[in-house]
Amino acid sequence: MSGFAAPWSCCFNRIVAAVILCLFVFGTSSPSECRAEDDGIGYRHTPLLPNSKWRVNDRSRPQPPKVAPGKSPGTPPADAVILFDGKDFSQWEHAKSTDNAKDIDPKIIEDGAFNILKTDQIQTKRHFGDCQLHIEWATPEKADGNNWGNSGIFFLGNYELQIIESHDSKMYADGMAGALYGQTPPLVNAARKPGRWQTFDVVFTAPRFDGEKLLSPAYITVLWNGVLVQNHTEVMGSTRWETFPSYRSFESTGPLVLQQHGSAVRYRNIWIRPLKRE
Ligand code: MG
């Protein structure tokens, strides 16, 4: 009797150990699931996610591409389009000029930065839609008129993220720095002193249209000097002075425009990552 019981007991113990191992590794998955899926990462039998062709923990879902991050905060990752690295203007053209193609003279670059009064209003030659933008800017140290530090970044040439001196001077809330101009003030005022370098890190989602019908509005998220000031804010339309916002352009891509508004605002270190929706 004991000669039969010993091997059976050994086998039983091994099965129990295998089941415990599967439960430990795969949670509530059954031992058969464990065996069926243990030749790769992920599963085939799990539920489909809503509005998606992928399943929960789907083994076929592609891995995101690898991107080497910048060496330090604010430096561009490997897949960024460098719009201004302190050396040339090859990515830009004049925005107001009838001769947009006229080159911007790189001799005006000082200490890796440029002054928007010297370039005049400029725009990227390339058009962008959904994107991540990093940009550094500085207002003049001293007031230079009624528009001290007034400039701005127009996404798709239409939707302005305001730049203006906001540390020592006061502007209506939806016209201060970090505002979606004329629509939404920043959540907080994260301004540095005039003359100091400041950063905007922006995620912009472009609007979608079917002809002239708006399918989905634009959205903007902004970190100002690392502080969240716009949190997936809906854009009501083109930003205009004293004018109700509405969608007047029906494009989902456009140039990035830097506004010249009569103040010597400086810019440096500008890069952008075009974003794709899955
Ligand atoms: Mg402005």
Side-chain angles (χ1 to χ4, degrees):
M1 202 56 189
S2 60
F4 175 76
W8 183 89
S9 172
C10 176
C11 182
F12 179 79
N13 288 344
R14 283 181 186 172
I15 290 169
V16 169
V19 169
I20 289 171
L21 182 65
C22 279
L23 285 173
F24 178 75
V25 174
F26 295 99
T28 55
S29 300
S30 71
S32 63
E33 286 167 359
C34 174
R35 278 197 301 275
E37 307 292 356
D38 65 3
D39 58 339
I41 301 168
Y43 302 93
R44 292 194 186 98
H45 67 277
T46 46
L48 276 170
L49 290 163
N51 305 316
S52 173
K53 62 182 178 179
W54 306 114
R55 298 176 180 280
V56 177
N57 307 144
D58 197 318
R59 67 179 305 161
S60 304
R61 198 165 188 171
Q63 293 281 310
K66 287 187 176 178
V67 172
K71 287 180 181 158
S72 56
T75 55
D79 64 348
V81 176
I82 310 298
L83 293 179
F84 183 71
D85 64 356
K87 292 175 191 148
D88 74 82
F89 287 113
S90 58
Q91 296 284 337
W92 300 87
E93 62 187 4
H94 292 284
K96 286 178 177 170
S97 165
T98 50
D99 182 12
N100 287 354
K102 191 178 159 199
D103 287 341
I104 302 164
D105 187 354
K107 287 201 208 82
I108 66 164
I109 296 170
E110 286 176 42
D111 299 327
F114 65 88
N115 177 336
I116 198 73
L117 277 185
K118 293 185 179 173
T119 60
D120 204 356
Q121 194 145 304
I122 57 174
Q123 65 186 28
T124 54
K125 293 175 184 172
R126 189 168 158 180
H127 288 198
F128 300 97
D130 297 353
C131 63
Q132 174 190 351
L133 175 75
H134 175 88
I135 189 163
E136 300 182 14
W137 52 276
T139 60
E141 228 167 285
K142 299 224 162 70
D144 60 350
N146 292 333
N147 286 300
W148 185 8
N150 196 342
S151 183
I153 305 152
F154 284 81
F155 291 84
L156 279 61
N158 271 291
Y159 314 104
E160 184 186 9
L161 171 60
Q162 173 72 314
I163 286 174
I164 197 165
E165 204 299 300
S166 295
H167 187 275
D168 291 351
S169 47
K170 199 169 180 183
M171 172 56 70
Y172 40 84
D174 64 9
M176 64 177 288
L180 178 63
Y181 185 78
Q183 298 183 26
T184 312
L187 293 167
V188 294
N189 181 347
R192 294 194 198 282
K193 289 181 178 174
R196 302 278 176 86
W197 282 106
Q198 312 200 45
T199 59
F200 275 154
D201 286 282
V202 185
V203 178
F204 188 84
T205 304
R208 264 54 174 182
F209 302 95
D210 179 8
E212 295 191 0
K213 184 183 167 203
L214 179 68
L215 296 180
S216 60
Y219 292 93
I220 188 165
T221 296
V222 182
L223 293 150
W224 179 9
N225 297 324
V227 180
L228 183 71
V229 295
Q230 298 288 349
N231 185 6
H232 197 60
T233 302
E234 181 176 329
V235 179
M236 298 176 223
S238 298
T239 53
R240 301 287 167 96
W241 177 51
E242 294 187 326
T243 304
F244 189 80
S246 62
Y247 283 95
R248 301 159 192 234
S249 163
F250 307 104
E251 305 289 335
S252 291
T253 62
L256 195 76
V257 177
L258 297 183
Q259 183 188 48
Q260 193 275 93
H261 204 299
S263 180
V265 174
R266 290 176 298 147
Y267 288 95
R268 71 178 185 188
N269 189 21
I270 310 171
W271 50 263
I272 194 167
R273 296 181 61 241
L275 302 175
K276 286 181 192 162
R277 287 189 186 180
E278 190 179 15

